[in-house]
Amino acid sequence: MPTPPFTEYTARLTRELIHTLVAETDEARLAEHVAFIADKLAEAAARPQQVTVADPHRSAGHIPDDITPASSARNPIAPPMLIEWDGDESRCELTLPLQYQGPPGRVHGGIVATMLDHVLGNAANAGGRPRSYTRYLNVSYDAATPVGEPLVVVGRTARHDGRKRFMEGEILCHGEVRVRAEGLWIEPREGLGHRS
Amino acid sequence: MPTPPFTEYTARLTRELIHTLVAETDEARLAEHVAFIADKLAEAAARPQQVTVADPHRSAGHIPDDITPASSARNPIAPPMLIEWDGDESRCELTLPLQYQGPPGRVHGGIVATMLDHVLGNAANAGGRPRSYTRYLNVSYDAATPVGEPLVVVGRTARHDGRKRFMEGEILCHGEVRVRAEGLWIEPREGLGHRS
């Protein structure tokens, strides 16, 4: 089910609110922007069924009604990620704003790991394969991943062995590998559901 | 500098907005809750200097004016984390709401990695040591990390060697280790600043 327009619009306004909270240090200007967004939220909430969004987010496909903090259009924590599967590789292009910053100018290491976990997991489960879950994830931060610059996140299967899928991938910026990841995804035994 | 009350209050309302966006599937009820939050945002924005918050977030200490998506009181992406350093170990207790969910009932693997990266990094830089940066982080998902249940995240130095700090830690739930992590943090050479 695609995200309803009112939900997606509200999530977009919430992302704008998050950005102004971390970017604006002048209290008067912050208050002015918060008032502006509050007004738009109230206006949309008064007529939710009449809200439309330009260029609605297309779901990654394998997660129906996605609410994850990595990729969801309705969860303002997520960038959101649009992941494309070409038969060999999952791939996502995105640029992260200031709310994802750790050290100055650089994406927080945990957010870097989140994007890789999500794209490698997407590749592990692509092509209609049964859902699998991360068993381990190793991330190597070879160089900085900048905020505000276009990133490419890719993931693919390195090899598989029964229920085990060994995945690998990287984050590139301006054509250079900045971060590498490798991990193991495991498909739960039939009837067991996922590990708990 | 502690987070100003208006900023922290707005960030709290934004977390509530995020939660309702992922939790509420009925559009009319979602719109009603959005209208309620928009009203509170507008009210606060009209008199920012008169806003107060109960039990303001205490900063982790080593990051002045923290805006990170892992721990910041002002960044609604962050839970926020309150990390305590006891001289040996960094430790954080928290319970994550629905917006951090990956698979049903479980915290997204990337959010798990984010908490570990942040707490291990806090331990690596504790006690007034020069700032260091993650070189690699290996996360082993031994069992599920549930949303909505109390978690404990801990990090400590396993050993150090010159500018290298080998860190380790885990996430516990109900006294059981669910996730283990180990990683290397490196202090940049003097005058070089951080890797870029």
Side-chain angles (χ1 to χ4, degrees):
Chain A
M1 189 181 79
T3 305
F6 169 66
T7 308
E8 183 160 357
Y9 179 74
T10 304
R12 288 182 188 193
L13 286 174
T14 307
R15 287 187 184 91
E16 196 178 325
L17 193 53
I18 294 169
H19 184 265
T20 197
L21 273 164
V22 299
E24 185 54 82
T25 52
D26 181 89
E27 188 165 87
R29 278 200 299 266
L30 174 63
E32 209 175 298
H33 200 184
V34 170
F36 174 79
I37 295 167
D39 195 51
K40 287 186 169 257
L41 287 169
E43 201 181 354
R47 290 170 203 78
Q49 297 188 337
Q50 285 163 46
V51 170
T52 55
V53 286
D55 192 21
H57 182 71
R58 287 173 289 141
S59 159
H62 75 293
I63 309 178
D65 199 19
D66 181 13
I67 65 160
T68 81
S71 62
S72 170
R74 80 186 295 162
N75 187 340
I77 287 176
M81 301 176 81
L82 172 57
I83 307 173
E84 310 267 12
W85 165 250
D86 72 2
D88 285 319
E89 207 169 68
S90 289
R91 182 188 173 90
C92 173
E93 301 186 12
L94 80 173
T95 299
L96 293 177
L98 191 61
Q99 58 262 40
Y100 298 100
Q101 177 175 283
R106 297 161 60 174
V107 178
H108 191 282
I111 300 297
V112 165
T114 298
M115 295 189 290
L116 285 161
D117 180 58
H118 211 72
V119 171
L120 269 59
N122 182 282
N125 297 326
R129 281 189 284 190
R131 187 85 194 255
S132 63
Y133 297 90
T134 320
R135 183 62 187 76
Y136 68 74
L137 178 69
N138 299 339
V139 182
S140 177
Y141 299 87
D142 298 344
T145 302
V147 292
E149 297 191 34
L151 306 176
V152 183
V153 190
V154 289
R156 73 195 77 82
T157 304
R159 61 192 174 87
H160 48 89
D161 176 10
R163 295 182 298 111
K164 295 182 178 175
R165 304 171 198 163
F166 294 88
M167 309 303 297
E168 59 178 32
E170 52 271 332
I171 296 180
L172 297 104
C173 182
H174 302 306
E176 262 179 29
V177 173
R178 303 300 176 99
V179 186
R180 288 172 298 124
E182 49 112 12
L184 169 60
W185 267 250
I186 301 183
E187 181 189 323
R189 280 189 196 85
E190 213 167 331
L192 267 185
H194 54 69
R195 298 171 65 90
S196 64
Chain B
M1 190 181 79
T3 306
F6 169 66
T7 308
E8 184 161 356
Y9 178 75
T10 304
R12 289 182 187 192
L13 286 174
T14 307
R15 286 187 185 92
E16 197 178 324
L17 192 54
I18 293 168
H19 184 265
T20 197
L21 273 163
V22 299
E24 186 55 82
T25 52
D26 181 272
E27 187 164 89
R29 279 201 298 268
L30 175 62
E32 209 175 297
H33 200 185
V34 170
F36 174 79
I37 295 168
D39 195 50
K40 287 187 169 256
L41 285 169
E43 200 182 355
R47 291 171 202 79
Q49 296 187 338
Q50 285 162 45
V51 170
T52 56
V53 286
D55 191 21
H57 183 71
R58 288 174 288 139
S59 160
H62 74 292
I63 309 177
D65 199 20
D66 181 12
I67 65 160
T68 81
S71 62
S72 171
R74 79 187 294 162
N75 187 340
I77 287 176
M81 302 176 82
L82 172 58
I83 306 172
E84 310 268 13
W85 166 249
D86 72 2
D88 284 319
E89 206 168 70
S90 289
R91 180 185 174 91
C92 173
E93 299 185 13
L94 80 171
T95 298
L96 293 177
L98 191 62
Q99 59 262 39
Y100 299 101
Q101 178 175 283
R106 298 160 60 174
V107 178
H108 190 282
I111 300 297
V112 165
T114 299
M115 295 190 291
L116 285 161
D117 181 58
H118 211 71
V119 170
L120 268 59
N122 182 282
N125 297 326
R129 282 189 284 190
R131 186 86 195 255
S132 63
Y133 296 89
T134 320
R135 184 61 187 78
Y136 67 76
L137 178 69
N138 298 341
V139 181
S140 177
Y141 300 86
D142 297 345
T145 302
V147 291
E149 297 191 34
L151 306 175
V152 183
V153 191
V154 289
R156 73 194 78 82
T157 304
R159 61 192 175 87
H160 47 89
D161 175 10
R163 296 181 297 110
K164 294 182 180 176
R165 303 170 200 164
F166 294 89
M167 310 303 298
E168 58 177 32
E170 52 273 331
I171 295 181
L172 297 103
C173 182
H174 303 306
E176 262 178 30
V177 173
R178 303 301 177 98
V179 187
R180 289 170 298 125
E182 48 113 11
L184 170 60
W185 267 251
I186 301 182
E187 181 189 322
R189 281 190 194 84
E190 213 167 332
L192 266 187
H194 55 68
R195 300 171 63 91
S196 65

